[in-house]
Amino acid sequence: MSKMEFCLKATLAASVGLTALMGPGLAQAQERTPQEATSLDDVIVTAQRREQSLQEVPITVNVLTAASLEALAADDIGDMAAFVPGLSVSNTSPTQARYSIRGVATSDFGVGTDPAVGVYVDGVYAARSGAALLAFSDVARVEVLKGPQGTLFGRNSAAGAVSITTNKPSDEFEARLGLRLGEYDKRRLEGLINLPINDTMALRVNALVNRRDGWLIDSATGEDYDREDNWAARAALRWDITPRTQATLSWSHDEIDQDARPAIGVAPIPAAPGLPAFPSDPAGYTNPFEKRVFNDVIDNHETRRLDEGVLTITHAFGDVDFTSLTSIRQFTTENREDEDGTNRPDLYFDTNNREKNRSWYQEFRLAGETGAFNWIAGASYYSENAKQRSDTYATTDTINTILTNAAGMPLFSLADMILGMAGIPASTLGHSWQEDMINEGDFDATAVFADVIWAATDRLNLTFGLRYTHDKKSFQWLNDRRIAPELDAVLNDPTTNFVLSDNMGPALGYLYSDYVFDLSPLAGVPCENGVTVQEGVTCELSDSWSDLSPRFVADYHLTDSAMVFFSYAKGYKAGGFNSVEVASRFDNEDVQNFEIGLKSDIGANARLNISAFQYDYDGKQSIRLVVPAGSSVPQYLIETSDDTAWGLDMQLDVEPLEGLKLFANAQYIDATYNRKITDDGDLAGQPTGEPLWSAAAGASYRHDMGAAGSLDIQVIHAYRGEGRCNTTSTGQGSCLKTPWFDPSEAQNRTDARLYWRTANERYQLGVYVNNLFDNQYVTGVNNITATTLGTPFVGLTEPRMWGLDLTYTY
């Protein structure tokens, strides 16, 4: 993005905040209410699709408020995930983010598979990972619900749900302008205006633009990597049609145009024409923390353009509340990234994941209280069309290296030698090589649900919930022959073809073959559209699944400030198709979860919540990089496992002194396989990889300086324990020990923030430091080219970053 474009988008964000600041007298700044007592805040959540106090909800929930997100200087969910034990978000690629709760995640990147963690924005499901990681803009809170939420939130929340709630148009005038400047030329500008139009209408508009230079530098070109460039805007109009009827229409836009994740090569690369050791030896890996990056991907970029419209209508029929929720969303993404971590033409390999998605969601809901029953019931329909192209790019030099490593037959070099001996001035080397997999899916889901809380006594509540879901999916694959027009021009020349055919015989066919998407092992497999699997032919499959997801909860108030609860809940994730394994399909996944817990306020200044859980996950699908027998070219294949886990979640909040707040959260989990058959045997009894412990703890203190305002300081630390290895972990790059790094090692991160507010809270100036002690970790060894080119590579977590915040609120 040019400086002019940045200025235009920054002006949009700034104008939102400044529009009404130029019009004095529209509102008065509210005076800060002095703290009168040390009492913990009562947090209101919608974890049960009803507004309730967090301490009254018999579910394990972690909540991050707007103040928490501000203190963390969080731009998206990935920036705060480390501070929620049990939640993991891989956000190095925002268009292909992966969520995990309590060790359950979907590892597939294809559109034929749904995520196991449901992400919802104002109640609307964000189906694909391409739309599940959005910029934080005017967010009221983020609720992380642990354990299956199938009854209340529906399909594909088998592991849990992340519910994001934005601020709604209000009847009070609001305006805010915030500027964040930081290391690596960080620039983030956000503006907000909430404008009451009249007695029945209000408009709320906010916009932000965020830009940052890269912290990695290409050692050959000097170019930055890991640059950020995104902007977002949202507008919401609320209309009180009658005293009982309200409609809110919102539109959101989110746009990313930044670098794709870099590949940091760790295999020693000799001078050309020497090739890296094959197979690569971890004992000889280089030190990635020296940050010597060599990437030569053509047109490196990661982009997304997302638009969504949501219409929410509520109406009160006496004591019954009706809600209609309608959403239309569309987005496009591209993600072209380096896959070899070198700048050698004979090792060149990159990929481009392209998606185009349209979805429509409609929900009707009734809620009310009838005597001792608080109930909610409804129906929903979801329709989605998802298109994906998995493009791979190499050179004929790359394929020559693959053939050399795989079979000791550098056929392209051999062809050039033959042409040279024949005096033909042509070469099969130095040309582009492309292979593609094209997918499209149409997905429909219909559901009906009901949930009833029965106040059996003044202390005992019993909850019964049930959701019926019917999923219908159709999916198609298309893989044509490899694209290499310059090479074909050489091979199809009559003289060249005659000489090569006469000297190479059948081996000449290898110069025309696919290597990344080789369909020959699947030849003859039937498809449902009357064809068999073959190049250049579209293969179609369709399937449907039905599910009943119940939940039962009993909560009992021991005292007015202590509640114990027991729950059983079933989660459901629909079956699907592996995008890169033609004619494949898998059945739905089920999880049975049992939980018992305690929520308690210990006086007015302490709160302790603890829960124990146990789940069995049947039919869990995961994608694994494997090398089929008789080949050296790795393929992504779907594997099925049955998992089990038990653990504890703990939350402690204490306010021992006025202005001083302490908190600690922790999760212990023992997750293992009941059954998982791989080429390495059955992994039954082995750990799934999830660390035993993850925790976060911190302290904040506000010092009131009277007319001089207040001073706030916060320090927060996150810990994620050492990953637990199994037989396949090394091959997947998660437990590979080298002289320089161990991807499974424990991780620590500390963030700190200090800021000053004026007495009326109109001005705020702060400084923050993320990753205070500059701890960096390898995020895993990527072996996609290790078994073909000898070029494994890694990613790194971000280094220490600091910045300044300035906010003006009217």
Side-chain angles (χ1 to χ4, degrees):
M1 184 171 68
S2 68
K3 288 186 176 180
M4 178 173 291
E5 289 174 312
F6 176 81
C7 291
L8 288 172
K9 292 173 183 177
T11 300
L12 169 62
S15 63
V16 171
L18 289 175
T19 297
L21 301 186
M22 299 174 61
L26 290 176
Q28 298 294 325
Q30 293 184 346
E31 295 292 330
R32 179 173 56 86
T33 301
Q35 215 169 359
E36 297 178 354
T38 56
S39 59
L40 297 174
D41 296 332
D42 184 21
V43 179
I44 302 300
V45 298
T46 54
Q48 296 193 113
R49 306 299 294 266
R50 312 157 169 92
E51 288 194 352
Q52 295 173 287
S53 167
L54 176 62
Q55 291 301 96
E56 297 293 323
V57 176
I59 298 174
T60 301
V61 185
N62 290 100
V63 180
L64 288 99
T65 63
S68 302
L69 301 176
E70 180 184 39
L72 291 170
D75 290 327
D76 57 47
I77 296 178
D79 295 330
M80 42 71 67
F83 303 101
V84 181
L87 171 67
S88 176
V89 180
S90 172
N91 68 329
T92 54
S93 176
T95 65
Q96 292 178 280
R98 293 178 177 88
Y99 290 79
S100 170
I101 292 180
R102 289 180 173 172
V104 178
T106 296
S107 59
D108 194 0
F109 52 78
V111 297
T113 303
D114 293 306
V117 176
V119 178
Y120 301 82
V121 181
D122 292 330
V124 178
Y125 175 53
R128 297 289 152 211
S129 61
L133 191 73
L134 303 176
F136 280 147
S137 180
D138 198 26
V139 170
R141 66 182 179 277
V142 178
E143 302 173 27
V144 180
L145 287 65
K146 297 179 179 179
Q149 306 296 322
T151 303
L152 290 169
F153 284 86
R155 57 199 289 274
N156 306 331
S157 55
V162 176
S163 178
I164 302 171
T165 302
T166 63
N167 291 307
K168 305 301 186 290
S170 68
D171 293 328
E172 299 293 329
F173 176 82
E174 298 177 55
R176 184 173 69 248
L177 183 64
L179 174 65
R180 179 177 298 162
L181 301 174
E183 201 169 8
Y184 302 102
D185 201 19
K186 170 83 169 183
R187 290 152 288 166
R188 187 180 191 274
L189 182 65
E190 181 175 6
L192 160 73
I193 181 172
N194 186 92
L195 184 65
I197 299 174
N198 53 41
D199 291 342
T200 61
M201 301 183 74
L203 175 68
R204 191 178 187 92
V205 181
N206 63 280
L208 69 85
V209 56
N210 178 55
R211 192 176 185 186
R212 191 198 71 194
D213 291 345
W215 57 274
L216 286 167
I217 299 176
D218 192 290
S219 297
T221 65
E223 184 178 359
D224 283 5
Y225 290 131
D226 203 38
R227 290 169 289 200
E228 293 181 349
D229 191 351
N230 67 289
W231 71 279
R234 184 175 185 273
L237 176 66
R238 194 204 78 220
W239 178 24
D240 298 333
I241 303 173
T242 73
R244 289 180 169 271
T245 307
Q246 184 183 95
T248 302
L249 177 64
S250 66
W251 166 81
S252 301
H253 177 84
D254 190 280
E255 190 163 332
I256 292 175
D257 185 5
Q258 64 181 42
D259 292 336
R261 67 104 179 96
I264 304 174
V266 291
I269 307 297
L275 296 175
F278 184 86
S280 56
D281 181 8
Y285 282 175
T286 59
N287 184 0
F289 299 104
E290 292 181 348
K291 304 183 180 78
R292 288 181 56 79
V293 186
F294 296 93
N295 281 193
D296 57 357
V297 56
I298 299 171
D299 191 23
N300 170 285
H301 68 276
E302 183 166 15
T303 62
R304 177 182 66 203
R305 183 184 179 94
L306 180 147
D307 288 280
E308 179 180 27
V310 179
L311 175 62
T312 304
I313 300 175
T314 61
H315 178 76
F317 293 99
D319 294 331
V320 177
D321 294 326
F322 167 79
T323 300
S324 170
L325 182 63
T326 307
S327 167
I328 299 176
R329 169 181 287 175
Q330 64 177 19
F331 66 86
T332 57
T333 72
E334 282 202 27
N335 181 27
R336 186 163 183 175
E337 57 192 19
D338 191 275
E339 302 286 3
D340 61 276
T342 77
N343 58 356
R344 288 268 297 269
D346 55 344
L347 301 173
Y348 184 93
F349 187 69
D350 78 70
T351 60
N352 188 18
N353 181 72
R354 294 189 277 176
E355 295 184 31
K356 186 174 183 180
N357 185 286
R358 299 191 313 273
S359 64
W360 174 57
Y361 179 73
Q362 177 64 57
E363 179 179 309
F364 297 112
R365 190 167 68 239
L366 293 170
E369 288 195 41
T370 305
F373 298 93
N374 182 307
W375 57 272
I376 182 172
S380 66
Y381 175 74
Y382 179 80
S383 178
E384 177 187 10
N385 174 264
K387 298 178 180 179
Q388 181 179 35
R389 284 184 61 104
S390 300
D391 301 325
T392 65
Y393 302 91
T395 65
T396 52
D397 306 69
T398 307
I399 305 303
N400 193 55
T401 301
I402 292 174
L403 292 171
T404 300
N405 289 335
M409 298 177 62
L411 294 181
F412 289 83
S413 294
L414 176 62
D416 278 13
M417 183 180 70
I418 293 171
L419 293 176
M421 293 175 62
I424 298 176
S427 175
T428 61
L429 293 170
H431 304 302
S432 62
W433 182 286
Q434 179 179 343
E435 296 183 34
D436 311 310
M437 180 66 73
I438 303 171
N439 304 115
E440 182 173 358
D442 288 297
F443 315 128
D444 296 282
T446 306
V448 291
F449 59 93
D451 193 78
V452 180
I453 302 175
W454 172 34
T457 72
D458 59 349
R459 292 190 178 276
L460 175 65
N461 295 317
L462 300 177
T463 302
F464 305 89
L466 186 67
R467 177 183 292 256
Y468 171 80
T469 306
H470 180 74
D471 279 285
K472 182 179 180 181
K473 296 185 177 184
S474 63
F475 199 73
Q476 61 185 39
W477 298 259
L478 173 62
N479 167 237
D480 214 338
R481 59 169 289 182
R482 60 101 177 109
I483 301 171
E486 299 91 349
L487 173 63
D488 286 341
V490 174
L491 298 179
N492 295 335
D493 179 88
T495 303
T496 299
N497 188 269
F498 174 78
V499 171
L500 292 179
S501 297
D502 187 54
N503 288 273
M504 296 182 67
L508 180 61
Y510 287 100
L511 276 61
Y512 292 92
S513 300
D514 278 12
Y515 292 94
V516 180
F517 298 118
D518 179 13
L519 300 187
S520 57
L522 299 172
V525 173
C527 306
E528 292 180 351
N529 55 326
V531 302
T532 59
V533 175
Q534 55 187 299
E535 283 188 347
V537 175
T538 298
C539 176
E540 296 182 5
L541 294 181
S542 61
D543 212 335
S544 62
W545 302 267
S546 296
D547 175 77
L548 280 173
S549 292
R551 80 165 182 145
F552 168 76
V553 185
D555 64 82
Y556 183 79
H557 287 258
L558 301 171
T559 68
D560 291 341
S561 57
M563 176 185 74
V564 293
F565 67 88
F566 166 82
S567 70
Y568 159 77
K570 178 176 180 283
Y572 161 69
K573 177 184 162 186
F577 312 91
N578 180 4
S579 299
V580 293
E581 188 179 352
V582 181
S584 67
R585 75 175 96 209
F586 51 86
D587 289 329
N588 56 286
E589 306 172 22
D590 296 311
V591 58
Q592 315 281 343
N593 187 85
F594 296 89
E595 196 153 342
I596 185 170
L598 165 71
K599 291 194 170 186
S600 62
D601 288 330
I602 308 172
N605 62 348
R607 177 175 296 157
L608 173 65
N609 297 337
I610 184 169
S611 60
F613 62 88
Q614 191 273 332
Y615 68 73
D616 291 304
Y617 203 124
D618 295 331
K620 189 180 79 170
Q621 308 299 315
S622 61
I623 190 168
R624 189 163 73 98
L625 192 65
V626 299
V627 180
S631 173
S632 67
V633 180
Q635 296 180 6
Y636 285 108
L637 299 179
I638 286 289
E639 294 181 336
T640 303
S641 68
D642 296 335
D643 303 353
T644 188
W646 70 273
L648 299 171
D649 270 292
M650 295 155 280
Q651 304 176 38
L652 175 65
D653 294 281
V654 183
E655 191 171 349
L657 301 172
E658 183 175 354
L660 176 62
K661 296 182 179 181
L662 310 174
F663 82 91
N665 298 333
Q667 177 187 272
Y668 173 87
I669 184 171
D670 181 9
T672 58
Y673 293 114
N674 277 336
R675 179 190 61 85
K676 184 172 185 179
I677 307 297
T678 71
D679 294 338
D680 300 308
D682 191 350
L683 303 187
Q686 297 190 36
T688 63
E690 188 71 8
L692 290 173
W693 283 100
S694 57
S700 65
Y701 179 70
R702 168 174 288 192
H703 177 59
D704 196 331
M705 300 185 295
S710 62
L711 196 63
D712 290 75
I713 184 171
Q714 173 172 292
V715 179
I716 182 171
H717 180 81
Y719 167 81
R720 181 174 172 83
E722 182 180 6
R724 304 170 67 202
C725 303
N726 57 55
T727 305
T728 65
S729 299
T730 299
Q732 301 307 302
S734 58
C735 288
L736 192 67
K737 291 181 172 58
T738 77
W740 304 107
F741 61 88
D742 176 4
S744 63
E745 70 176 315
Q747 299 186 12
N748 290 275
R749 172 176 161 173
T750 304
D751 287 7
R753 181 177 175 86
L754 174 69
Y755 49 99
W756 166 80
R757 292 187 179 98
T758 57
N760 61 5
E761 296 194 353
R762 178 165 290 185
Y763 293 94
Q764 177 178 306
L765 176 63
V767 58
Y768 67 88
V769 183
N770 291 338
N771 191 13
L772 178 64
F773 299 106
D774 201 23
N775 293 320
Q776 284 191 271
Y777 303 94
V778 165
T779 56
V781 180
N782 193 316
N783 286 325
I784 188 172
T785 55
T787 58
T788 52
L789 303 173
T791 54
F793 60 90
V794 303
L796 292 178
T797 58
E798 291 183 345
R800 175 176 52 233
M801 293 190 182
W802 60 269
L804 300 171
D805 276 328
L806 175 62
T807 304
Y808 179 78
T809 304
Y810 191 87

